[in-house]
């Protein structure tokens, strides 16, 4: 089937059809272009999404990445990043293998089509010219024939008329002969032009036009075939990335299968384990006895020697038992409440919850006796150091030995510090070895460099290594101390702390308890690591007498009355306004001050706090 034979008379329709075919190809190119833009935008959005949820360095998320579920999520984000890369590959391949090639083909098809139709129009014009020549020759022959016929009729008429002269008849005869000759010439010319036109027309419709239409048909078929190849390429480009996308999805599946909930639970234990043993049972306190409780069994008032005191006015002892420090200040350091505060009353009443929050039952004695034992015991420096460390932590300082952390967390921090220092030492050693080799090369080949310039650097590195080793030794000593204090898993004995004491435990020195736990949760060195030092009241006074009281960071109003009968607490009446010197750290207690010499803790739920955010020392505990 050929366009030249079947569509010999459809020149205009073929012109429109071939133009439509090129427009279809251009439309397909536009479609591919928009697809590439979608792919590149999709890849960009996927990359931005992965980047948005990636773990940021030096952040809390980086610490959370140790869990298997977080690792799986991070692996998923990495796989999605690779997944986005495959969509970029799709866009690039479609641009290079389809758009560029088809755009070039469209330009070639347009040029070829234009050339073929120009040639066709030229052939059409030629045949039309031949037709016009034939028509002109035919009309001339017809005209000459008619004029020859009229001339013949005129001659015959003149010849029959007897009144016409012989000269006129001869002239008419000659004119008729001329017309006949012209008719014969026109006939010959018409015959010649007709033969030529028939030949040209045959060639036009059987040779030239079929050839041109065949070229147009070949061009159109080539365009269709090229579009089919492009569609196949379009599918192959997607198909080639499917295995890689499948690997990305397999990686996500593998990451999901790597999640280990038991391991994550164990990681939580390692992250938050304090190393303490659970507290023991609290003894029953019998209030039916006729003995009346004083403000606190361990209050600063020597109840055994001075008799009764007003239970609603704690800390107002007239006897001066502390010649070196204000009573309430040391009391707040030694005896900050450790029990959860009582809930507020259901309705405002004239009295607080009976007896207030209770401290664990211990073998108690007046605080003055505890101080006498404290002064005569050996590890006194430890207690004072614990007090100082607790005070420094309240002011925002972080001890170098991480003693503010529970034992298990402190051990992990110390181990991490030791590992970091060892890495630094190894880097310095590697650098020293490299410089040593360089120095040997310079000594053997002085023209390559000066060995003396390396010597100074080696000395500096040696000093750095020595300093790092001293640091490592210091942290290893603290680490060994902590590891020696951690309880054994199978040991049935329970740890003594400043918070609780087991029922069957023998009475221990109260200073050791204070050393184990300070009011702010700081933990100090082991007793065995300290040197026996005898402290005089004068020395102790030098350490503490110069310390400034905590600044006021706001005010509070008592919503309910609180008797404050336990050590470290202070009584308040409903509606009373007092100064706040330390916010609630999360344990439910707020430290307040009534006047310069009277301060202590009250339950946070019993007061309404108005903090001054611009006050010096104001903190927010979460």
């Amino acid at each position: 089937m050929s366009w030249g034979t079947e569509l010999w008379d459809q020149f205009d329709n073929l012109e429109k059809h071939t133009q439509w075919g090129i427009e279809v190809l251009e439309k397909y190119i536009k479609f591919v272009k928009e697809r590439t833009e979608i792919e590149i935008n999709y890849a960009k959005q996927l990359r931005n999404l992965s980047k948005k949820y990636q773990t940021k360095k030096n952040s809390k998320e980086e610490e959370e990445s140790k869990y298997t579920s977080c690792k799986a999520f991070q692996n998923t984000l990495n796989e999605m990043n690779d997944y986005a890369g495959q969509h970029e590959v799709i866009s690039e391949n479609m641009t290079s293998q389809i758009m560029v090639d088809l755009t070039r083909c469209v330009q070639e098809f347009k040029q070829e089509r234009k050339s073929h139709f120009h040639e066709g129009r030229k052939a059409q014009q030629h045949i039309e010219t031949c037709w016009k020549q034939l028509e002109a020759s035919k009309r001339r022959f017809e005209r000459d024939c008619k004029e020859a016929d009229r001339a013949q009729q005129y001659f015959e008429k003149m010849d029959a008329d007897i009144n016409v002269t012989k000269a006129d008849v001869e002239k008419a005869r000659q004119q008729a002969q001329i017309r006949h000759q012209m008719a014969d010439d026109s006939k010959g010319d018409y015959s010649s032009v007709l033969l030529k036109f028939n030949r040209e027309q045959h060639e036009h419709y059987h040779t030239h036009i079929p050839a041109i239409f065949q070229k147009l048909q070949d061009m159109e078929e080539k365009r269709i075939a090229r579009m089919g190849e492009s569609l196949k390429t379009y599918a192959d480009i997607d198909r080639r990335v499917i295995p890689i996308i499948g690997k990305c999805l397999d990686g996500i599946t593998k990451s999901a299968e790597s999640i280990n909930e038991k391991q994550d639970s164990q990681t939580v234990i390692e992250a938050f384990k304090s190393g303490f043993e659970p507290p023991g049972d609290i003894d029953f306190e019998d209030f039916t006895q006729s003995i009346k409780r004083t403000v606190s069994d361990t209050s600063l008032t020597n109840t055994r020697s001075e008799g009764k005191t007003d239970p609603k006015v704690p800390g107002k002892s007239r006897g001066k038992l502390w010649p070196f420090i204000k009573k309430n200040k040391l009391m707040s350091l030694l005896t900050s409440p450790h029990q959860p505060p009582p809930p507020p009353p259901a309705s405002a009443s004239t009295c607080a919850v009976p007896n207030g929050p209770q401290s664990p039952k211990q073998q108690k004695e007046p605080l003055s006796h505890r101080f006498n034992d404290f002064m005569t015991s050996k590890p006194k420096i430890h207690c004072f150091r614990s007090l100082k460390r607790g005070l420094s932590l309240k002011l925002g300082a972080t001890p170098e030995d991480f003693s503010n952390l529970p034992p298990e967390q402190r051990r992990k921090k110390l181990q991490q510090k030791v590992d970091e220092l060892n890495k630094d030492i190894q880097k310095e050693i590697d650098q020293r070895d490299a410089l040593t080799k360089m120095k040997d090369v310079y000594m053997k080949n002085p023209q390559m460099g000066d060995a003396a310039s390396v010597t100074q650097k080696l000395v500096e590195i040696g000093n750095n290594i020595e300093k790092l080793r001293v640091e490592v030794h210091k942290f290893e000593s603290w680490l060994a101390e902590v590891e020696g204090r951690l309880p054994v898993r199978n040991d049935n004995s329970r740890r003594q702390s400043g918070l609780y004491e087991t029922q069957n435990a023998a009475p221990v020195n109260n200073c050791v308890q204070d050393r184990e736990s300070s009011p702010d949760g700081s933990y100090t060195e082991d007793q065995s690591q300290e040197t026996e030092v005898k402290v005089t009241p004068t020395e102790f006074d030098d350490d503490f007498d110069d310390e400034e009281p905590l600044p006021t960071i706001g005010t509070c109003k008592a919503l309910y009355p609180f008797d404050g009968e336990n050590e470290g607490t202070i009584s308040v009446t409903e509606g009373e306004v007092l100064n706040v010197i330390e916010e609630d750290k999360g344990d439910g207690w707020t430290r307040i001050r009534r006047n310069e010499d009277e301060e202590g803790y009250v339950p946070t739920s019993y007061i309404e706090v108005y903090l001054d955010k611009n006050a010096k020392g104001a903190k927010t505990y979460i």
Side-chain angles (χ1 to χ4, degrees):
M1 302 294 290
S2 174
W3 286 6
T5 58
E6 303 295 335
L7 303 175
W8 61 271
D9 59 344
Q10 299 298 318
F11 186 89
D12 293 338
N13 288 333
L14 288 179
E15 185 178 15
K16 294 178 181 178
H17 176 76
T18 51
Q19 178 63 30
W20 170 83
I22 291 177
E23 290 175 355
V24 169
L25 198 57
E26 289 178 333
K27 185 177 181 181
Y28 173 67
I29 293 173
K30 186 178 180 181
F31 160 76
V32 175
K33 181 180 179 181
E34 293 184 4
R35 166 73 189 277
T36 58
E37 292 174 354
I38 291 174
E39 292 291 342
I40 200 70
N41 290 333
Y42 180 54
K44 183 179 180 180
Q45 291 177 0
L46 280 180
R47 287 190 183 278
N48 290 339
L49 182 64
S50 299
K51 183 178 179 181
K52 177 181 178 181
Y53 287 94
Q54 283 285 353
T55 299
K56 297 176 179 61
K57 293 184 178 180
N58 301 324
S59 66
K60 184 179 179 181
E61 294 179 357
E62 189 173 21
E63 297 179 1
E64 295 173 351
S65 62
K66 58 189 174 183
Y67 299 102
T68 58
S69 57
C70 294
K71 291 180 180 177
F73 179 53
Q74 292 301 317
N75 291 336
T76 299
L77 294 178
N78 295 332
E79 295 293 347
M80 290 306 298
N81 202 41
D82 296 339
Y83 185 94
Q86 298 312 307
H87 286 276
E88 291 176 346
V89 170
I90 290 176
S91 177
E92 293 172 359
N93 290 341
M94 285 187 175
T95 300
S96 61
Q97 299 179 22
I98 297 180
M99 286 180 55
V100 175
D101 193 23
L102 281 187
T103 302
R104 178 180 53 80
C105 287
V106 165
Q107 296 301 324
E108 293 177 356
F109 289 152
K110 286 183 177 181
Q111 291 295 330
E112 185 179 354
R113 175 182 175 276
K114 182 178 179 181
S115 175
H116 294 331
F117 279 102
H118 177 72
E119 186 179 354
R121 288 191 182 91
K122 189 176 180 181
Q124 193 72 20
Q125 291 175 357
H126 176 70
I127 198 64
E128 289 176 358
T129 302
C130 293
W131 172 257
K132 290 178 181 179
Q133 291 177 356
L134 176 63
E135 286 292 322
S137 177
K138 178 182 177 181
R139 286 194 298 268
R140 187 170 56 250
F141 171 59
E142 181 181 7
R143 185 180 68 248
D144 289 345
C145 289
K146 289 181 179 180
E147 288 179 356
D149 186 52
R150 285 196 299 267
Q152 182 65 31
Q153 290 178 2
Y154 180 74
F155 167 70
E156 290 177 353
K157 182 179 179 182
M158 291 294 289
D159 186 44
D161 192 357
I162 58 175
N163 295 321
V164 177
T165 62
K166 188 177 180 180
D168 292 335
V169 172
E170 183 63 23
K171 184 179 178 181
R173 186 182 62 80
Q174 291 179 357
Q175 188 66 27
Q177 289 178 351
I178 292 173
R179 293 298 179 183
H180 281 292
Q181 183 63 40
M182 291 177 63
D184 290 340
D185 292 342
S186 297
K187 182 180 180 180
D189 184 59
Y190 172 67
S191 177
S192 174
V193 172
L194 180 60
L195 290 174
K196 181 181 178 182
F197 175 77
N198 288 334
R199 184 174 63 252
E200 291 292 340
Q201 180 177 257
H202 185 274
E203 290 180 356
H204 176 79
Y205 288 111
H206 292 84
T207 304
H208 297 308
I209 291 299
I212 294 172
F213 283 9
Q214 185 62 45
K215 291 178 182 178
L216 289 172
Q217 182 179 356
D218 294 341
M219 182 198 74
E220 183 68 8
E221 291 176 354
K222 182 180 179 182
R223 178 194 67 81
I224 296 172
R226 190 68 191 84
M227 187 170 180
E229 292 174 0
S230 297
L231 289 172
K232 184 179 179 180
T233 304
Y234 179 88
D236 290 341
I237 289 173
D238 267 340
R239 186 176 290 110
R240 283 197 294 269
V241 301
I242 286 177
I244 303 177
I245 291 177
K247 290 182 179 179
C248 294
L249 299 178
D250 291 342
I252 295 175
T253 303
K254 185 177 180 181
S255 299
E257 293 173 350
S258 67
I259 295 178
N260 188 331
E261 60 275 10
K262 298 297 183 183
Q263 182 178 342
D264 283 358
S265 298
Q266 183 61 32
T267 304
V268 173
I269 294 175
E270 295 174 357
F272 301 111
K273 181 181 178 182
S274 66
F276 289 129
E277 289 291 336
D281 295 337
I282 299 177
D283 287 343
F284 175 77
E285 297 187 38
D286 190 359
F287 294 98
T288 60
Q289 297 177 359
S290 60
I291 300 176
K292 295 183 180 179
R293 276 184 73 135
T294 59
V295 177
S296 173
D297 287 343
T298 56
S299 102
L300 296 178
T301 307
N302 190 345
T303 56
R304 294 183 181 180
S305 60
E306 307 225 353
K308 299 181 181 180
T309 60
D310 185 3
K312 294 189 177 181
V313 189
K316 296 230 172 179
S317 172
R318 297 292 181 264
K320 187 173 181 182
L321 302 177
W322 305 92
F324 46 82
I325 189 171
K326 296 175 182 179
K327 334 175 250 201
N328 284 314
K329 186 174 183 181
L330 183 61
M331 181 182 70
S332 64
L333 288 174
L334 284 172
T335 60
S336 61
H338 298 292
Q339 280 287 85
S347 61
S349 61
T350 57
C351 60
V353 178
N355 299 317
Q358 298 299 322
S359 300
K361 181 71 176 179
Q362 297 183 0
Q363 188 72 23
K364 298 183 178 180
E365 56 184 352
L367 192 57
S368 58
H369 293 184
R370 292 180 61 193
F371 174 70
N372 292 334
D373 295 338
F374 166 80
M375 294 298 294
T376 56
S377 60
K378 293 183 179 180
K380 303 174 199 51
I381 294 299
H382 237 305
C383 296
F384 300 148
R385 184 175 301 169
S386 174
L387 294 177
K388 280 189 173 183
R389 180 178 292 112
L391 184 59
S392 65
L393 290 177
K394 287 179 181 293
L395 297 177
T398 302
E400 184 182 12
D401 59 354
F402 305 108
S403 58
N404 60 310
L405 299 176
E408 181 65 23
Q409 303 302 319
R410 183 187 179 198
R411 182 192 65 77
K412 292 175 64 176
K413 285 287 186 180
L414 290 172
Q415 184 64 54
Q416 181 181 356
K417 188 68 176 178
V418 169
D419 295 340
E420 291 176 356
L421 291 173
N422 285 330
K423 289 181 181 179
D424 293 341
I425 291 175
Q426 187 60 42
K427 289 180 182 178
E428 296 289 341
I429 291 175
D430 294 341
Q431 187 176 0
R432 183 185 64 184
D433 294 342
L435 289 176
T436 302
K437 293 180 181 179
M438 185 183 296
K439 180 180 179 182
D440 294 340
V441 173
Y442 288 170
M443 292 180 66
K444 293 179 181 179
N445 301 294
Q447 66 275 10
M448 295 184 66
D450 185 13
S453 62
V454 183
T455 303
Q456 181 63 29
K457 186 64 176 177
L458 287 173
V459 173
E460 293 178 3
I461 293 177
N463 293 335
N464 292 339
I465 293 175
E466 188 62 28
K467 291 178 181 178
L468 290 172
R469 284 175 175 168
V470 171
E471 288 291 313
V472 169
H473 178 72
K474 178 173 65 175
F475 281 97
E476 284 180 344
S477 300
W478 287 332
L479 180 61
E481 172 192 342
V482 174
E483 290 177 345
R485 289 177 58 188
L486 287 177
V488 183
R489 290 182 180 272
N490 296 329
D491 189 4
N492 293 326
S493 62
R494 315 197 79 162
R495 180 183 178 85
Q496 297 289 337
S497 68
L499 296 178
Y500 299 101
E501 180 183 15
T502 57
Q503 293 179 349
N504 299 327
V508 293
N509 186 279
N510 290 308
C511 176
V512 178
Q513 295 180 3
D514 291 338
R515 183 178 71 252
E516 294 279 354
S517 174
S518 61
D520 53 18
S522 62
Y523 302 92
T524 58
E525 298 85 0
D526 186 55
Q527 174 183 350
S528 60
Q529 300 295 327
E530 293 294 337
T531 308
E532 179 179 348
V533 180
K534 185 174 182 179
V535 181
T536 63
T538 304
E539 294 173 352
F540 193 83
D541 185 46
D542 291 339
D543 286 337
F544 288 87
D545 203 28
D546 294 334
E547 294 177 354
E548 294 294 331
L550 291 176
T552 299
I553 61 174
T555 60
C556 68
K557 179 180 179 181
L559 302 177
Y560 312 102
F562 178 68
D563 288 343
E565 295 182 352
N566 281 18
E567 58 183 12
T569 61
I570 184 172
S571 63
V572 296
T573 59
E574 183 177 356
E576 185 179 5
V577 178
L578 305 102
N579 294 325
V580 177
I581 59 175
E582 184 174 312
E583 275 191 84
D584 185 357
K585 298 180 181 179
D587 57 358
W589 295 92
T590 300
R591 190 173 175 185
I592 63 173
R593 177 186 294 139
R594 177 176 284 110
N595 50 49
E596 185 177 358
D597 296 325
E598 189 173 2
E599 61 185 44
Y601 289 88
V602 295
T604 305
S605 58
Y606 277 59
I607 59 175
E608 185 175 3
V609 180
Y610 308 94
L611 289 180
D612 182 6
K613 297 302 180 181
N614 298 323
K616 182 178 179 181
K619 303 177 186 147
T620 301
Y621 297 93
I622 300 175

